[in-house]
Amino acid sequence: MALLTLRAFRSIRAVPSWIPRTAYLRPTIRFSSISTVPSESLKIQNRDVSVPTGIFINNEFRASLTSSQFSVENPATGEPILSIEEGREEDVNAAVKAARAAFEGGWSTSNPVERGELLNRLAQLMERDKEDIIALEMLDTGKTYKQASNLDFPGSVGTLKYYAGWADKVLGLTSFNIPGTFAYTRREPVGVCGQIIPWNFPLLMFIWKIAPAIATGNTIVMKSAEATPLTALKCCELIKEAGFPAGVVNLVSGFGKTVGNAIANHMDIDKVAFTGSTATGRAILKSSAQSNLKKVTLELGGKSPNIIFPDADIAKAVEWSAWGINMNFGQTCHAGTRIYVHEQIYDEFVAAYAKRMGSIKVGDNFDPSVDQGPQNSKMQYDKILGYIQKGKEEGAKVELGGNVAEVDGSKGGYYIQPTIFSNTRPDMKIMREEIFGPVVCISKFSTEEEVLELANDTTYGLAAAVHTKDYERALRITNGLKAGTAWVNMYNFVHWSIPFGGYKQSGLGRECGEAALENYTEVKAVYMNTGIPAPQ
Ligand code: NAI
Ligand code: MG
């Protein structure tokens, strides 16, 4: 026992703390003639914020290998913010080489305690630069300060700290139950992970993706969404400052058809994690099948039901149901877009709900009194307006909104009125497809059986909610809902410690919680012979 302790002590002493942790790693591949690009300074309200603009490979912000750039837009005005380097397949290849070299060069077997420390250090640096990060996110996405600072930012930092804690707690099993053997499992990192994120939660999705992957010793080639690349770039600057070894996290800004497609089809990427539309998720799965069968996890769309029973606290149900749509202005995969109200309270609920939704203030997202800013992009704005038009044509009744929102001095921003449709039928487009905007459909029901059938009548299965004071009913309904998340007397509440993901066409696998660690580890079974003779 004493000897063991001494050996353990010596092995720790063999790596003194004054040696920088990057020295553990063998040198990663260096490319000749790499040109780096400097950060740009932006004036956001009264704040000067610098943001890197290059493609982040091996801890350097580089120029695009095809000398391409693209413009980043402010959805509050439709005007360009700045131009950044645009990656293509060549840049993805370079990023994968860097990620592979870092993985094989020591990161995959690095001390998990140090990986946890790096995640914590990144969280600390984000806290130091909190206001810069929030300002960038607001400018790039149209989010309000409330949304970015009360949800996206703490959600991101919380996720980092949570997975920092996990890094040295990912264990295998041991078995002495098979006579003549000792068997155990090792949880090993999967390898180079391609991660493709959307524009609705650019910061949060960046962190949701990297944190479990880093905790478990993987390396990353990230693609941010073309509409919202800025906070990922800022985080990469902090990743470098935190002391992450070169090549562990790489970021290629660019478009789906080029960068996303190159990641999905790459022969040296071991796993891809994606959040976005079901159509793109399907394409990624196909690319995996046609290339190297890389592991795939998908967080896709939703058309989530929100059920109100007559015994619910109606005032609270109205508030939560408003939040079910108003959070991130409806650009949320788990938004509560199909509200089912019991016939006994239907008229009362619709009146109170329309009043509450009508009180939402739409406007400049930098105005602190505003609840709903512009939609994220012209593409999204046009798509939402198209659905509103379709709803009217299909004969749904507009209870509220139904138009673009006029905002003083908006100069072409993408503002839409909170919109409620009633008199909907299950076969209407607005009842079946993901609108991803401030648009909600209300329908009437009379029995539990009926509402469960209506709620589950969708190709999606991401989230659902029930409002009732009867706990037995709450259990019957939540058990019957085909959804990855079910809320009782609340809506749009997601925590990093609890698994999140979809049934049916809402996805494959789970993010958050311990569940996400499974996406980023391979299980190796080792059998040691302790006395079995070879079969004759
Ligand atoms: P999208 O799924 O096309 O985009 C998400 C990400 O995938 C972006 O980074 C994009 O560049 C990338 N991508 C696009 N095509 C790709 C391809 N062929 N291979 C690899 N990566 C690719 O979604 P989009 O077009 O931005 O939005 C369309 C609709 O998708 C939205 O209106 C909404 O309904 C849904 N959506 C759902 C999200 C969710 O959180 N589940 C997030 C974003 C969009
Ligand atoms: Mg933008």
Side-chain angles (χ1 to χ4, degrees):
M1 188 60 199
L3 186 67
L4 268 179
T5 314
L6 186 64
R7 279 204 187 125
F9 181 65
R10 278 205 189 115
S11 77
I12 291 166
R13 290 255 325 243
V15 206
S17 60
W18 48 266
I19 295 180
R21 50 174 72 80
T22 43
Y24 296 85
L25 299 169
R26 275 181 256 136
T28 46
I29 291 178
R30 296 274 157 212
F31 293 86
S32 52
S33 70
I34 290 163
S35 65
T36 56
V37 288
S39 293
E40 280 204 26
S41 188
L42 296 174
K43 189 93 182 157
I44 307 178
Q45 304 289 308
N46 292 323
R47 213 177 168 80
D48 293 310
V49 181
S50 87
V51 57
T53 60
I55 291 166
F56 187 68
I57 297 177
N58 263 335
N59 279 357
E60 290 165 327
F61 288 98
R62 301 175 174 187
S64 132
L65 289 172
T66 58
S67 305
S68 314
Q69 285 92 33
F70 70 103
S71 176
V72 181
E73 188 190 82
N74 175 1
T77 59
E79 287 166 355
I81 301 169
L82 82 174
S83 274
I84 66 168
E85 296 297 303
E86 181 196 332
R88 298 277 172 85
E89 189 178 350
E90 293 83 338
D91 304 281
V92 171
N93 291 339
V96 173
K97 275 197 181 120
R100 176 61 60 195
F103 185 80
E104 304 297 347
W107 178 253
S108 61
T109 52
S110 58
N111 184 343
V113 174
E114 289 185 354
R115 298 201 298 265
E117 280 171 1
L118 286 169
L119 289 172
N120 272 326
R121 178 117 181 81
L122 177 58
Q124 284 160 9
L125 293 175
M126 284 177 64
E127 276 162 344
R128 181 195 69 190
D129 292 351
K130 176 178 173 186
E131 297 302 321
D132 285 358
I133 293 170
I134 288 174
L136 271 178
E137 191 78 329
M138 289 172 69
L139 182 71
D140 202 3
T141 62
K143 286 175 194 272
T144 56
Y145 188 80
K146 271 187 284 193
Q147 171 69 44
S149 73
N150 296 352
L151 284 141
D152 302 35
F153 188 84
S156 304
V157 169
T159 302
L160 281 173
K161 292 179 180 174
Y162 172 79
Y163 284 108
W166 263 116
D168 62 350
K169 297 171 194 67
V170 179
L171 304 174
L173 60 79
T174 60
S175 171
F176 291 96
N177 293 345
I178 311 156
T181 70
F182 155 47
Y184 67 92
T185 58
R186 281 166 57 82
R187 302 274 298 276
E188 298 179 352
V190 175
V192 174
C193 298
Q195 302 186 319
I196 302 173
I197 55 172
W199 44 262
N200 53 339
F201 292 94
L203 175 70
L204 189 69
M205 290 302 106
F206 181 85
I207 299 295
W208 269 27
K209 293 279 182 288
I210 68 164
I214 287 169
T216 42
N218 297 275
T219 57
I220 293 163
V221 175
M222 169 75 70
K223 178 208 168 306
S224 52
E226 53 271 38
T228 57
L230 299 186
T231 43
L233 286 162
K234 189 73 185 169
C235 286
C236 285
E237 187 179 74
L238 301 183
I239 281 169
K240 181 175 179 175
E241 186 182 345
F244 280 71
V248 168
V249 179
N250 306 277
L251 169 69
V252 186
S253 312
F255 292 83
K257 290 268 178 306
T258 48
V259 177
N261 197 44
I263 289 175
N265 285 291
H266 207 287
M267 293 301 288
D268 199 30
I269 289 183
D270 302 295
K271 180 208 154 47
V272 65
F274 169 76
T275 299
S277 66
T278 295
T280 301
R282 213 183 287 283
I284 287 172
L285 205 51
K286 213 167 164 185
S287 298
S288 161
Q290 285 168 351
S291 57
N292 62 345
L293 280 176
K294 52 181 70 64
K295 285 161 185 45
V296 179
T297 44
L298 303 172
E299 294 297 342
L300 308 175
K303 192 74 189 171
S304 299
N306 179 20
I307 304 167
I308 326 286
F309 281 97
D311 64 353
D313 180 322
I314 301 300
K316 286 184 184 164
V318 164
E319 278 305 313
W320 281 110
S321 304
W323 176 241
I325 280 293
N326 188 37
M327 178 186 170
N328 213 34
F329 329 149
Q331 301 165 140
T332 309
C333 49
H334 44 71
T337 48
R338 290 182 294 137
I339 301 182
Y340 294 97
V341 185
H342 192 272
E343 58 191 3
Q344 271 174 30
I345 50 156
Y346 182 83
D347 292 338
E348 179 196 350
F349 182 91
V350 172
Y353 187 66
K355 189 164 174 232
R356 175 64 185 88
M357 292 288 280
S359 74
I360 286 170
K361 184 172 171 192
V362 184
D364 173 5
N365 57 310
F366 282 94
D367 173 347
S369 71
V370 158
D371 306 300
Q372 181 186 308
Q375 304 304 135
N376 186 277
S377 64
K378 176 86 166 64
M379 173 202 82
Q380 196 52 32
Y381 176 76
D382 289 341
K383 180 184 161 184
I384 298 164
L385 291 176
Y387 275 113
I388 291 176
Q389 183 56 31
K390 191 78 197 158
K392 291 175 183 170
E393 284 166 16
E394 286 184 322
K397 179 180 170 203
V398 179
E399 296 278 354
L400 182 77
N403 279 307
V404 302
E406 300 301 334
V407 169
D408 287 346
S410 78
K411 293 187 292 183
Y414 308 130
Y415 299 94
I416 295 180
Q417 293 173 340
T419 296
I420 304 174
F421 281 113
S422 66
N423 280 355
T424 52
R425 289 187 318 273
D427 63 329
M428 287 178 173
K429 237 177 153 58
I430 52 168
M431 285 287 282
R432 303 215 72 79
E433 297 180 15
E434 187 174 50
I435 300 175
F436 232 58
V439 181
V440 61
C441 298
I442 303 195
S443 320
K444 203 184 280 187
F445 75 92
S446 46
T447 67
E448 274 185 29
E449 296 70 35
E450 180 198 4
V451 79
L452 264 181
E453 201 169 303
L454 289 167
N456 288 331
D457 178 21
T458 167
T459 55
Y460 293 113
L462 198 55
V466 54
H467 299 262
T468 176
K469 286 189 191 133
D470 177 344
Y471 79 91
E472 290 181 6
R473 170 183 275 160
L475 287 176
R476 280 195 301 276
I477 298 290
T478 50
N479 289 347
L481 288 164
K482 296 199 175 6
T485 297
W487 292 288
V488 179
N489 295 330
M490 63 196 313
Y491 206 97
N492 273 347
F493 187 91
V494 171
H495 193 266
W496 53 79
S497 63
I498 304 294
F500 175 76
Y503 280 36
K504 299 196 267 184
Q505 294 182 35
S506 286
L508 287 181
R510 293 291 179 271
E511 293 195 283
C512 295
E514 191 177 353
L517 300 168
E518 281 161 29
N519 304 337
Y520 290 101
T521 48
E522 292 278 17
V523 176
K524 179 181 283 170
V526 181
Y527 293 86
M528 306 203 52
N529 191 343
T530 59
I532 299 185
Q536 297 300 309

